Amino acid sequence: MLDYNVFHTIAWPGAYAWYFFVIGISVALFFFSALSWFREEFQPLRKSGFYLSFVLLVVGGLLLISDLSQPMRFLNMINPAYLKFDSPLAWGSLNLITFGIASVVYLFFMNKGDDGLAKKAAVIGALLGLGLPIYTGFDLTVHQHRPVWNTPLMPVLFVALSLLSGAAVASFLAKGNEKLMVMLRRFMLWAGGATAAMLISLLGTTAYGGSAAEITFMFMTSGTMGMIFIGLGMLVGLAAPIALLLAPVGRQPMGVMAAGVLLLVGGMALRYAILIGPQIVHTYY
Amino acid sequence: MSEELRMSPRETRGKAGLRRYGMVIDLRRCIGCDACMVACKAEYDVPLGVFRTWVPYRVVGKYPTVKKQFLPRLCNHCDDPPCVRACPVGATYKVEDGGFVLQHYDRCIGCKACMASCPYNARFMLPEHRTRTNITSVVDKCTFCYHRVIQGLVPACVQTCVGRARVFGDMNDPNSEVSQLVARHATQTLRPEQGTKPQVFYIGADRNMTEYGRNIYDASPEQDDERAVFNRNHKV
Ligand code: SF4
Ligand code: SF4
């Protein structure tokens, strides 16, 4: 029997996942650059990591603006007459801007050779940077009626994903430096393990949630979305690289870089699936 | 001892001296003619494919006792609207006297946070090109016909409703028809668990319509076909 239903579009399209991806990498690379002031192993990433972080920050900002249906009005976000502080998005835009400012200050002192001030700017920048993946997750968490999004796991998950994708990109910048590769491998393993644990508990709680959560579980684990989330995201992009890193070849720079490639594929797939999957059920309501 | 009702700062229902417009939809009287959808489209030149109000139906029961259940939908002009909270630039706001949730079209940046946060799909993105108005590429929704109501008229959908299923009025006025209907009948609101305090009340709503049904996942071929056509015409 034919029911009549009006369908609705999903609110946030897949393009937003690219922003999540790019900004996550940018923040992690900044973090590694900042870490170089405290851990000698990260020294090779101080400049190269930071420069790439800065480029990705600019790309991420432009992606975010181009995702608005009124891109030129992005200035409204920093107009004090309009800005509304009970919206998480308002905090996010301020976080992004302050991170950008901290990056410029860091660049300035680093190039001037003022190590003391550069180190301070690095710490402040890293803390502001940490805010960005937290805010990405928070931005999803606050939508109280969306299964998967509305869990306190989201901000932590996005921090872990940011470290994962960032370590993956950093492994290409490391130019085979043994000591750095050892550290990056550790980052990949810890962040990867944390991501896997979070995803498994997320799947469990979603499968046993209310009807909306259950249907979301079905949508996310079957069909094309299932291929992206489970296949590309969890198996190819997370389980496989962790297994690779644990194998003897995973201790070689080439092995770490190969794992990095898989992690990048997985990082993008997971962000896309987590963004889009939980919106599907609502398009039928 | 009764505890004082705690209200959010945006709430207008129950606040003395303020009007709080609401709608009661008596589903026993709705015949599913869709005249309200048409009246709304005509009132606002609502573009193809999007709706400020819409009337889905579901066929329930088994032959010979089948029945078509209608559930006219629109923005609930929630008393605690997540869409207002989500907007980073104050482009969506709640009118203090009347409770309308409205849009500043010239301020909206199109971030769609309000669309993501509305539990009722009441919001949609306007297309880039429209023939009769230059309000484009911003988010739009039902206004409870603010422009009509402030002139003492009822919303276009209420005016046109042939079954007189839609009733509109001030919930803060105990003598209004809507207050009386809500006082005398068992009413339902959509997704009350979301804490949004919707101001559209239904009489006789069927749970098959108000909740997510599992048939969404296991959709009929017809629904899948319709969905495919929809997806083709929208950037999903
Ligand atoms: S129904 Fe949706 S758009 Fe309307 S006030 Fe409530 S949350 Fe906002
Ligand atoms: S799309 Fe417009 S109205 Fe909606 S939250 Fe963004 S700026 Fe506000």
Side-chain angles (χ1 to χ4, degrees), chain A residues 12 68-69 73 76-77 84 87 89, chain B residues 83-93 102-105 107-117 123 125 137-140:
Chain A
W12 279 344
L68 302 176
S69 70
R73 291 192 193 163
N76 288 2
M77 292 272 263
K84 221 170 84 276
S87 161
L89 235 59
Chain B
C83 55
V84 171
R85 204 168 52 214
C87 180
V89 293
T92 176
Y93 62 103
L102 301 179
Q103 294 284 108
H104 286 302
Y105 297 109
R107 205 187 267 199
C108 170
I109 59 173
C111 65
K112 304 182 250 336
C114 54
M115 287 170 68
S117 67
R123 295 175 162 265
M125 180 57 74
S137 295
V138 287
V139 166
D140 204 0

Side-chain angles (χ1 to χ4, degrees), chain A:
Chain A
M1 257 177 287
L2 184 61
D3 294 344
Y4 172 72
N5 195 13
V6 166
F7 301 108
H8 304 268
T9 51
I10 55 171
W12 279 344
Y16 283 38
W18 283 105
Y19 164 75
F20 294 172
F21 186 61
V22 166
I23 210 71
I25 297 174
S26 166
V27 162
L29 288 177
F30 188 102
F31 173 70
F32 294 140
S33 171
L35 209 54
S36 73
W37 298 95
F38 303 91
R39 297 292 298 243
E40 192 207 323
E41 299 93 323
F42 286 90
Q43 184 74 32
L45 288 179
R46 183 174 298 173
K47 288 214 157 152
S48 60
F50 170 72
Y51 288 138
L52 186 53
S53 155
F54 198 69
V55 170
L56 291 177
L57 175 67
V58 174
V59 173
L62 292 175
L63 277 176
L64 200 59
I65 290 172
S66 69
D67 285 340
L68 302 176
S69 70
Q70 295 281 0
M72 290 319 291
R73 291 192 193 163
F74 79 94
L75 288 170
N76 288 2
M77 292 272 263
I78 41 176
N79 179 345
Y82 288 172
L83 208 58
K84 221 170 84 276
F85 283 108
D86 46 1
S87 161
L89 235 59
W91 288 99
S93 66
L94 289 184
N95 195 164
L96 198 61
I97 290 164
T98 47
F99 178 61
I101 294 171
S103 291
V104 173
V105 171
Y106 180 45
L107 175 69
F108 177 74
F109 287 126
M110 195 160 56
N111 280 347
K112 212 175 144 207
D114 189 336
D115 284 2
L117 284 174
K119 193 172 167 181
K120 285 198 182 93
V123 174
I124 294 171
L127 287 174
L128 287 169
L130 178 68
L132 284 175
I134 291 182
Y135 139 72
T136 304
F138 186 59
D139 215 14
L140 302 180
T141 299
V142 290
H143 298 298
Q144 80 239 36
H145 70 107
R146 305 247 179 207
V148 176
W149 286 10
N150 185 221
T151 86
L153 266 188
M154 284 295 127
V156 195
L157 180 64
F158 276 91
V159 171
L161 281 175
S162 164
L163 284 175
L164 260 187
S165 309
V169 171
S171 71
F172 302 112
L173 298 177
K175 300 199 188 91
N177 181 313
E178 292 263 342
K179 276 194 208 153
L180 178 57
M181 280 302 202
V182 170
M183 295 305 281
L184 290 175
R185 178 179 168 276
R186 264 188 224 160
F187 261 103
M188 288 180 187
L189 279 173
W190 281 105
T195 305
M198 281 188 266
L199 288 176
I200 289 166
S201 56
L202 196 64
L203 278 174
T205 45
T206 310
Y208 290 92
S211 60
E214 276 175 45
I215 301 165
T216 299
F217 176 84
M218 300 300 281
F219 277 129
M220 288 187 77
T221 52
S222 61
T224 313
M225 192 53 78
M227 295 282 283
I228 296 174
F229 184 49
I230 305 289
L232 274 184
M234 291 184 71
L235 298 177
V236 176
L238 194 58
I242 290 178
L244 184 63
L245 289 172
L246 291 174
V249 63
R251 294 179 184 277
Q252 317 282 334
M254 279 314 282
V256 179
M257 280 159 73
V261 172
L262 293 176
L263 285 173
L264 285 175
V265 172
M268 184 59 208
L270 287 173
R271 285 174 175 96
Y272 178 83
I274 286 173
L275 175 70
I276 303 295
Q279 294 187 76
I280 300 175
V281 64
H282 197 53
T283 62
Y284 290 89
Y285 187 67

Side-chain angles (χ1 to χ4, degrees), chain B residues 57-169:
Chain B
Y57 69 73
R58 180 155 294 163
V59 180
V60 291
K62 256 201 166 126
Y63 180 82
T65 48
V66 282
K67 185 177 173 189
K68 259 186 185 172
Q69 273 283 353
F70 305 100
L71 190 81
R73 295 270 302 274
L74 67 162
C75 167
N76 288 284
H77 294 267
C78 306
D79 239 354
D80 213 340
C83 55
V84 171
R85 204 168 52 214
C87 180
V89 293
T92 176
Y93 62 103
K94 197 159 168 65
V95 177
E96 185 72 14
D97 186 11
F100 306 86
V101 174
L102 301 179
Q103 294 284 108
H104 286 302
Y105 297 109
D106 53 345
R107 205 187 267 199
C108 170
I109 59 173
C111 65
K112 304 182 250 336
C114 54
M115 287 170 68
S117 67
C118 170
Y120 309 101
N121 277 325
R123 295 175 162 265
F124 54 85
M125 180 57 74
L126 286 169
E128 281 170 32
H129 303 288
R130 294 176 75 190
T131 322
R132 291 184 186 82
T133 147
N134 57 2
I135 302 175
T136 55
S137 295
V138 287
V139 166
D140 204 0
K141 64 182 272 297
C142 156
T143 55
F144 254 179
C145 277
Y146 177 74
H147 67 297
R148 293 174 58 96
V149 174
I150 53 171
Q151 296 183 60
L153 302 170
V154 291
C157 57
V158 175
Q159 176 78 43
T160 207
C161 181
V162 290
R164 217 173 169 277
R166 293 194 188 222
V167 183
F168 185 80

